[in-house]
Amino acid sequence: MSGRLVHIGSAVVDYVYRIDALPAPGMEKTASSFAQVAGGGFNMMVATSRTGMQVVFGGQLGSGPNGDFLRAAFAAEGIETLTPPSPLMDSGNCVAMISSDAERTFVSWPGAESVLSLDLMAPVTVAPDDWVFTSGYTLSYPGSRDALTDWIEALPDETPFVFDPTPVVTDIPRPILSRVLARTTWLSCNTTEAAEIAGPGDVEAVAARLLDDHCPQAAGVVIRAGAKGCHVRLADGSAQTIAGYTVTAIDTNGAGDTHIGAFVSALARGTPPFEAARYANAAAAISVTRHGGSSAPTDHEIQTFLSYVDDHGHGRKQEA
């Protein structure tokens, strides 16, 4: 394994309610279950860590009960926090409603994770073999986007930088987004986010525009398509659509985070990009068969899954 993943993103406390369907306006539903869990960027960090890469967190956690809860969750996964707690506020939270079709709806409230400054990030150092990751959530916050963008642009040229624009990509000012994309080594986004950045079109054309017009220094882009898998295009013009795996999904929360974390971990240990995408597809497929956003599998579980697929046929329905 080469270096660490330095995650400069946001982590929040998720309040997860399971319901049969979203209530109609003005109506009420009783949840079948409730859980308080670590969420946000924590899900991606867990996926990276469980697949063998050391992870450290350089974002901001709060000084109240939410921050304490997150620090305990980080410690349980062996993830070191590099910055001291915010002296100003607690960490934020997100209400996640998971319906019976495994889809999810979110309402979030920002906290300490939404405020970053270069002074707060001073303890975050990047070693020669490290990888760096951030997401669109941190860049969408007015109190963090400028400092984080300056910090990203100051990274050593040889440091791989991975960016996930997330569903809030429309909340990131275009000049900020353009600066971050210009420094991106690997872009991972879903089909909607890709079209928001590069315009509509078939996945091959959108991926080409992402590289040619928006990510001039990138080694490649990954466009995720949920259960269908992902499309990967490299800077040399080669491209593949890597098919997903058919599983019985019970919770899609965190599937994209799991995909990115597993992909980065595989790349960092020298796995070729198309094979790393296959590995990430398997990780995401396993994660949606489990409850919770931080349900990423271990490397051993992914390898076992892939061995079963290879032995029994790619298109067969898999019970992970």
Side-chain angles (χ1 to χ4, degrees), residues 183-197:
R183 179 55 185 85
T184 296
T185 311
W186 284 97
L187 175 70
S188 179
C189 54
N190 65 28
T191 53
T192 302
E193 296 153 8
E196 178 61 35
I197 295 170

Side-chain angles (χ1 to χ4, degrees), residues 82 218 264:
L82 301 179
V264 171

